[in-house]
Amino acid sequence: MNDALYSRPKTPASADAAAPAAGGPTDSRIIAITSGKGGVGKTFVSANLAAALTRRGLRVLVLDADLGLANLDVVLNLHPKVTLHDVFTGKATLDQAVVKAPGGFSVVLAGSGMVEYSRLTPEVRSELLNVIQALAPQYDVVLLDTGAGISDVVLYSVSLAQEVLVVATPEPTSLTDAYAAIKVLATQQRRQQVRLVVNQAARPGDGRAITGQLQQVLDRFVATDTGRPVRLIHMGDIPADTAVREAVMRRQLLLQQMPGTPAALAVAQLANKIETTVLRPVA
């Protein structure tokens, strides 16, 4: 897939119509972390993956792109004085909105309960794109922690990324919604590939089996403009682990507080795979 910010894939008409022209290329990679269903651990993955990538020597930014129901600040136990809302309304500069998170990476936080950001207006499109264009050149990787589902705001946020990582759990509702989201990304954004991580996996190998099952359904029912089905890439499993709930309840990063737990080790493996296959692929 072409670099999204600089030669973006086709987005839904509502998202593409007012998107301004993008700037010049950089070495930064933008990865949207999304899900079909809420409550699958997407923000947990975003925050801990950022910490794991930072440990590998990368400059990492996480942008809370769940503009109306943001909770990255809760997961990281941060109390922001400046949010994206302040930047969008001109009350603060973008530099003021960038703060350092536990784990050493940078974050830009969004406000919660902002009804005005539940719809994709031309202003939201323009402001969000401008923010990403301004920030991306300063980092090796930008993680967009999007909202769940297939609303126009979520889809536009995802359209600004070169890569998409879908987080799902083994529950049937999560997998059904993950399939729906992947179908939309393939048909409306012309995504040739989507990456999948299975959270709360009960047994080793569950995620690979689930990926295979979803791929069979995609092969049968979903085709891109090229006539080829979208390729689903299994990036790894994060096992069900009581340490995850404990860390979330304490508002702590699992990788910092309990780095030797099964889930933390799995996130570290995910970071390794992302670095080697997405950020610095072997020629």
Side-chain angles (χ1 to χ4, degrees):
M1 178 172 297
N2 293 331
D3 286 355
L5 272 180
Y6 318 116
S7 180
R8 296 189 296 113
K10 184 176 177 63
T11 56
S14 62
D16 198 52
T26 73
D27 292 332
S28 179
R29 299 297 289 179
I30 302 170
I31 303 173
I33 301 179
T34 192
S35 63
K37 178 180 179 294
V40 298
K42 173 176 51 60
T43 299
F44 162 80
V45 171
S46 298
N48 283 275
L49 177 59
L53 290 170
T54 301
R55 285 186 176 185
R56 303 181 71 85
L58 296 166
R59 298 169 299 162
V60 182
L61 171 76
V62 183
L63 188 146
D64 196 338
D66 192 351
L67 300 180
L69 294 171
N71 57 18
L72 182 63
D73 58 327
V74 177
V75 171
L76 295 172
N77 197 27
L78 294 173
H79 306 280
K81 295 181 180 179
V82 177
T83 69
L84 275 177
H85 172 72
D86 300 307
V87 176
F88 287 0
T89 56
K91 296 178 181 178
T93 66
L94 183 55
D95 287 344
Q96 291 173 319
V98 179
V99 297
K100 193 67 72 174
F105 55 93
S106 298
V107 295
V108 175
L109 301 168
S112 187
M114 299 293 182
V115 178
E116 60 267 39
Y117 299 130
S118 63
R119 293 176 53 253
L120 185 66
T121 63
E123 292 76 18
V124 170
R125 283 194 294 263
S126 177
E127 293 289 350
L128 187 58
L129 180 60
N130 289 341
V131 163
I132 295 173
Q133 284 182 320
L135 290 174
Q138 304 174 43
Y139 298 91
D140 298 310
V141 57
V142 175
L143 303 180
L144 303 180
D145 182 27
T146 79
I150 53 174
S151 71
D152 53 1
V153 175
V154 172
L155 292 176
Y156 183 71
S157 299
V158 173
S159 78
L160 300 177
Q162 296 117 333
E163 299 283 348
V164 183
L165 179 66
V166 173
V167 179
T169 65
E171 286 97 355
T173 53
S174 173
L175 297 178
T176 299
D177 290 350
Y179 164 75
I182 295 166
K183 178 180 178 180
V184 171
L185 294 175
T187 56
Q188 293 193 12
Q189 294 192 11
R190 299 179 181 176
R191 297 275 176 180
Q192 295 294 321
Q193 64 180 31
V194 173
R195 300 175 189 273
L196 179 72
V197 60
V198 176
N199 191 24
Q200 302 175 21
R203 294 173 300 274
D206 276 1
R208 192 167 295 280
I210 288 169
T211 303
Q213 293 166 5
L214 283 174
Q215 185 69 67
Q216 289 180 357
V217 179
L218 291 167
D219 290 348
R220 183 174 180 183
F221 295 109
V222 180
T224 62
D225 286 353
T226 64
R228 298 190 303 270
V230 61
R231 180 187 175 209
L232 197 56
I233 302 173
H234 175 245
M235 296 298 288
D237 300 353
I238 301 173
D241 188 341
T242 56
V244 172
R245 176 173 174 77
E246 186 177 343
V248 171
M249 293 300 292
R250 291 182 177 180
R251 300 186 180 184
Q252 297 173 337
L253 284 171
L254 183 67
L255 257 71
Q256 276 194 313
Q257 301 303 319
M258 292 170 275
T261 56
L265 294 173
V267 173
Q269 291 173 356
L270 174 63
N272 176 66
K273 190 164 186 178
I274 286 178
E275 182 180 15
T276 56
T277 64
V278 178
L279 303 179
R280 298 171 180 168
V282 177

